[in-house]
Amino acid sequence: MENVDVFTCEAKGRGLKAVKEFWAGDVIFAERAYAAVVFDSLTHLVCHTCFKRHEKLQRCGQCKFAHYCDRTCQKDAWANHKNECSAIKRHGKAPNENIRLAARILWRIEKEGGGLTEGCLVSIDNLQNHVDHFGDEEKKEMRIDLESFLEFWPPDNKQFGMTYISHILGVINCNGFTLSDQRGLQAVGVGIFPNLCLVNHDCWPNCTVIFNNGNHQAVRSLFHTQMRIELRALGKISVGEELTVSYVDFLNVSEDRKQQLKKQYYFDCTCEHCQKGIKDDLMTAVKEGNEKPSKEVVKDVIQFSRETLEKIDEARTEGIYHQVVKLCRECLDKQDPVLGDTNLYLLRILSIMSEVLSYLQLFDEAAGYSKRMVDGYMKLYHPNNAQLGMALMRAGVTQWHAGLIEAGHGMICKAYAILLVTHGSTHPITKDLEAMRVQSEMELRMFQENEFMYYKMREAALQNQTIQVMPEPAANEISPGIFQKK
């Protein structure tokens, strides 16, 4: 943590500032989790040490609950799992993820104390819990969690007061960081990172946080890397400049972002983008021209879009994807004459449409929708936003599958440039993207040299057949049915 310093101001409280200059892609600091657990629904699909998804996991022989990649992960986890293992056996079943995470935090506090631990700028005791700001529903959930925790907590361990346990549960509620799998595509767990909790919010931040699952594949443990989060610079950061990340997705109008931040994190956002409503006009854009739609028409289309999104959620939950496509088409027919290319409701429908059509392997149709989607995203997002990079990657792959190799390669290259900044060259998803970039570049060269041969080879590869191309006639061969002079 030598690259940062803690400061305090009246408006935001504590925060972190840079003590040296950083450039795009620099890792400002990395931090291991104080405690972390896998989500309840994925406990048998994800390793409880490195949080990677695997088809075949080894189960803990005692509690039958924890799962691991191999003996290396199981051995690394034992220090944290030992108390949990005996508690689950005594209790008869594992509690929910909040209770398991609170228990892991308290077992560590019981062992090391509640003060500062090595490498931490702030202790768990001094983190904000916002329990005083809880509404009636949140207080009710807190009481249920407290009862569940007291049933799970072993009687022979140190007994903590109700106020302190409530503090820990409050810390988890507003400071828990979502952990992703090795591809960065699915949320699989939650963890507490004390130093990261000091980084304040900005809707247009200068940093991003990426979860790195680590690597235990090397034969020698000396070359293993640990599971950690990395705070990375999105652009140039000067000495003394505050470090910020975005707590919420930027693709919401400023008023909606402020409400979400107030509800979830209990503060009023005062960043420049919220105060000035920057890009709100783009997010609510309507068609320009001689026949600009009236306010009533726009209002009706927005209401129809909201109702359609609710129906789409129901259809996706039930797995009726052809119904999703039908709903999206109906919605787009109403949106296209009225809403602008960067309108959030239009972009949401385009995103769902391209994703579902790609899942149904209707790539030719999906390619057009994905292109419109990323064109809108690029006008709204920060140029080095990780969400933009992931969207470009998905759209590039869709174009590639549709046979639009030039557009696909261009999008994949743009996505690779962004993820080099946000994820770094060693992250698994960046490595996957690098392989795609090399492959698509090779195919693009082939396409530029011989378009006919490229499509022939592509068609054969898609059908899993050997390529069928008519042989070129030999120099001395006489074509049948054609007279030739001696």
Side-chain angles (χ1 to χ4, degrees):
M1 301 300 297
E2 64 275 3
N3 292 333
V4 299
D5 199 7
V6 182
F7 74 94
T8 305
C9 69
E10 287 186 15
K12 292 185 175 181
R14 291 173 300 188
L16 293 181
K17 62 182 180 181
V19 298
K20 70 176 208 179
E21 193 172 72
F22 293 101
W23 295 89
D26 286 347
V27 178
I28 298 169
F29 70 78
E31 181 182 13
R32 294 194 65 186
Y34 188 87
V37 295
V38 175
F39 286 147
D40 298 336
S41 58
L42 299 170
T43 53
H44 60 295
L45 300 173
V46 174
C47 174
H48 289 219
T49 299
C50 66
F51 292 78
K52 293 179 181 178
R53 287 182 69 97
H54 282 281
E55 292 183 3
K56 294 182 180 179
L57 293 170
Q58 298 180 11
R59 189 171 65 172
C60 174
Q62 296 187 45
C63 67
K64 314 294 184 188
F65 171 75
H67 289 73
Y68 304 101
C69 301
D70 48 35
R71 296 286 295 176
T72 304
C73 279
Q74 188 170 9
K75 186 178 177 182
D76 287 349
W78 183 241
N80 293 321
H81 179 59
K82 183 178 179 180
N83 289 315
E84 180 185 66
C85 188
S86 59
I88 290 172
K89 286 193 294 181
R90 185 191 68 83
H91 188 57
K93 63 177 182 179
N96 68 43
E97 62 234 19
N98 276 5
I99 306 304
R100 288 187 283 118
L101 183 55
R104 285 199 169 204
I105 292 171
L106 289 171
W107 276 315
R108 184 163 177 179
I109 290 172
E110 182 182 36
K111 181 181 176 182
E112 301 176 1
L116 285 174
T117 55
E118 185 179 359
C120 284
L121 298 175
V122 62
S123 68
I124 294 290
D125 291 356
N126 290 327
L127 290 176
Q128 290 286 342
N129 59 53
H130 294 291
V131 173
D132 295 338
H133 298 103
F134 280 14
D136 293 338
E137 191 62 33
E138 290 169 313
K139 288 178 180 177
K140 183 180 177 182
E141 290 175 4
M142 172 75 80
R143 284 194 293 270
I144 293 170
D145 281 347
L146 274 171
E147 291 174 7
S148 301
F149 179 86
L150 293 172
E151 290 175 8
F152 178 68
W153 188 252
D156 53 342
N157 281 111
K158 180 181 176 181
Q159 298 304 303
F160 294 91
M162 296 285 277
T163 304
Y164 194 73
I165 298 169
S166 298
H167 165 73
I168 298 299
L169 290 170
V171 166
I172 293 170
N173 182 65
C174 59
N175 289 297
F177 180 78
T178 303
L179 310 180
S180 60
D181 62 4
Q182 64 269 37
R183 295 286 173 255
L185 301 174
Q186 183 184 12
V188 296
V190 60
I192 292 293
F193 299 83
N195 293 333
L196 179 61
C197 297
L198 293 174
V199 183
N200 286 320
H201 164 83
D202 195 297
C203 292
W204 200 259
N206 56 16
C207 298
T208 188
V209 186
I210 295 300
F211 179 63
N212 193 316
N213 301 79
N215 180 15
H216 289 167
Q217 293 178 345
V219 175
R220 294 183 64 188
S221 60
L222 177 67
F223 298 107
H224 289 177
T225 56
Q226 300 300 322
M227 180 194 79
R228 64 198 181 277
I229 57 98
E230 295 174 348
L231 187 74
R232 290 178 166 270
L234 292 178
K236 183 185 175 183
I237 298 176
S238 304
V239 177
E241 187 176 342
E242 183 183 3
L243 306 174
T244 57
V245 296
S246 182
Y247 293 180
V248 296
D249 186 12
F250 182 69
L251 282 198
N252 288 289
V253 293
S254 55
E255 194 58 41
D256 289 347
R257 290 198 307 270
K258 288 167 76 173
Q259 289 179 10
Q260 187 179 351
L261 289 163
K262 184 69 173 178
K263 182 179 178 181
Q264 192 170 349
Y265 299 100
Y266 310 101
F267 70 85
D268 296 308
C269 184
T270 57
C271 76
E272 183 182 13
H273 276 66
C274 281
Q275 286 185 327
K276 297 181 179 178
I278 298 174
K279 302 211 175 187
D280 282 1
D281 56 336
L282 290 175
M283 295 182 189
T284 57
V286 297
K287 286 286 185 184
E288 296 291 340
N290 297 329
E291 298 182 1
K292 187 176 180 180
S294 64
K295 290 183 179 180
E296 289 75 17
V297 172
V298 173
K299 186 178 178 180
D300 290 342
V301 171
I302 295 297
Q303 183 59 35
F304 182 81
S305 300
R306 286 174 179 163
E307 292 169 359
T308 303
L309 286 168
E310 291 177 4
K311 293 176 183 176
I312 287 171
D313 285 341
E314 292 175 8
R316 291 181 81 175
T317 303
E318 296 172 9
I320 312 172
Y321 294 111
H322 290 286
Q323 178 67 15
V324 173
V325 173
K326 181 183 175 184
L327 289 166
C328 286
R329 286 200 178 110
E330 290 173 358
C331 194
L332 285 170
D333 286 342
K334 287 187 174 291
Q335 288 179 337
D336 281 335
V338 176
L339 303 184
D341 294 337
T342 55
N343 189 287
L344 292 182
Y345 287 101
L346 176 66
L347 291 177
R348 283 165 188 161
I349 296 295
L350 289 173
S351 175
I352 295 167
M353 189 67 156
S354 62
E355 182 184 344
V356 173
L357 287 172
S358 296
Y359 175 76
L360 298 173
Q361 298 193 1
L362 301 172
F363 297 112
D364 291 345
E365 190 178 356
Y369 295 116
S370 65
K371 174 72 166 58
R372 290 176 63 189
M373 176 191 72
V374 295
D375 285 348
Y377 282 177
M378 291 179 73
K379 295 175 184 176
L380 297 175
Y381 272 126
H382 186 289
N384 282 332
N385 185 286
Q387 294 289 99
L388 174 61
M390 299 293 282
L392 277 164
M393 180 184 72
R394 288 193 295 269
V397 172
T398 301
Q399 304 285 322
W400 188 9
H401 282 316
L404 305 172
I405 186 63
E406 291 175 298
H409 178 68
M411 289 182 186
I412 287 171
C413 286
K414 288 177 183 176
Y416 183 64
I418 293 171
L419 294 190
L420 276 177
V421 172
T422 60
H423 290 65
S425 59
T426 60
H427 196 281
I429 199 164
T430 315
K431 289 181 177 179
D432 286 350
L433 200 49
E434 166 67 359
M436 291 182 209
R437 189 184 67 82
V438 172
Q439 176 70 18
S440 61
E441 183 177 355
M442 182 181 70
E443 291 188 21
L444 179 59
R445 287 178 182 172
M446 187 188 303
F447 172 81
Q448 291 168 340
E449 289 173 5
N450 191 328
E451 189 174 334
F452 172 77
M453 181 64 73
Y454 167 75
Y455 281 116
K456 268 293 184 186
M457 292 183 69
R458 182 177 180 275
E459 184 181 349
L462 289 173
Q463 296 174 359
N464 200 23
Q465 297 174 354
T466 54
I467 185 169
Q468 300 290 330
V469 180
M470 290 291 289
E472 293 184 12
N476 58 353
E477 185 178 348
I478 299 174
S479 300
I482 299 178
F483 293 103
Q484 183 174 336
K485 292 181 180 181
K486 291 184 182 179

